[in-house]
Amino acid sequence: MICSLFHYGLRATHAETTVNFYTRVLGMVVDQTRPKIGISGYWLRAALPGSPPSIHVFTGDDARVKPADTQVPTGSGAVHHISLYCVDYSALRRRLLEYGLKWEGGAVPGGKQWVIFVYDPNGVMLELTFDASIEEGPVPDIPAENTYMPGAPFRPFDPMGYAMFAG
């Protein structure tokens, strides 16, 4: 019986860029309790006290351990997207605009959830999901160019859009 998602592992093309995106844009923190497991990388967790690490970032040569050609792939592969439960829709959307990141969003039919879709620096599609009942204000107004259309292709991943997170 599955109770919840524990964490996901992410082979990062550029570790610093990845960590900077997740900490600056999504407000996560580097989990300092990561044991010395013999694999380079970071654990990231929500900034809430006591939250478990939910993203394990593998870096350097360890990010290339599994693929036979020693290349770190980008994108989600067979995984279409990863949904992260979030709070403070307005602040997160403000940060996306501040960094000039491409995103799409809207309200889930029925109005109980608001979502934002955005790529991480590795081309992994993230669905940032907000509980509308605890967010402040009315259903957000989404400009036409940012409106998510179910079934329509999402704009292509552009790694150069994440250059500001490097170093």
Side-chain angles (χ1 to χ4, degrees):
M1 167 173 63
I2 295 175
C3 299
S4 69
L5 176 67
F6 186 56
H7 72 265
Y8 70 90
L10 177 64
R11 290 189 310 249
T13 308
H14 301 285
E16 188 174 8
T17 301
T18 299
V19 170
N20 286 339
F21 169 82
Y22 279 94
T23 57
R24 293 180 192 170
V25 178
L26 301 185
M28 297 185 85
V29 296
V30 175
D31 188 303
Q32 300 299 329
T33 66
R34 182 179 187 264
K36 303 226 182 292
I37 57 176
I39 297 173
S40 60
Y42 302 91
W43 283 0
L44 299 169
R45 65 173 180 79
L48 303 170
S51 64
S54 55
I55 303 173
H56 294 188
V57 180
F58 299 97
T59 62
D61 288 340
D62 295 319
R64 294 184 289 273
V65 169
K66 294 293 182 193
D69 61 5
T70 69
Q71 297 297 309
V72 178
T74 60
S76 299
V79 175
H80 183 269
H81 67 274
I82 297 169
S83 180
L84 301 171
Y85 177 73
C86 302
V87 295
D88 202 348
Y89 175 93
S90 297
L92 201 141
R93 184 166 153 182
R94 200 169 32 255
R95 286 192 298 273
L96 292 173
L97 294 172
E98 172 187 327
Y99 287 112
L101 296 173
K102 307 286 187 211
W103 63 277
E104 293 180 9
V108 173
K112 295 184 181 195
Q113 294 175 332
W114 302 340
V115 296
I116 292 174
F117 290 93
V118 64
Y119 288 113
D120 86 346
N122 304 286
V124 175
M125 175 66 67
L126 302 176
E127 176 184 357
L128 309 176
T129 305
F130 301 82
D131 181 341
S133 69
I134 63 170
E135 294 295 322
E136 294 183 11
V139 174
D141 183 35
I142 308 287
E145 66 271 13
N146 296 96
T147 300
Y148 171 70
M149 304 298 285
F154 194 79
R155 61 194 78 204
F157 171 61
D158 178 11
M160 294 309 298
Y162 297 81
M164 81 280 290
F165 297 110

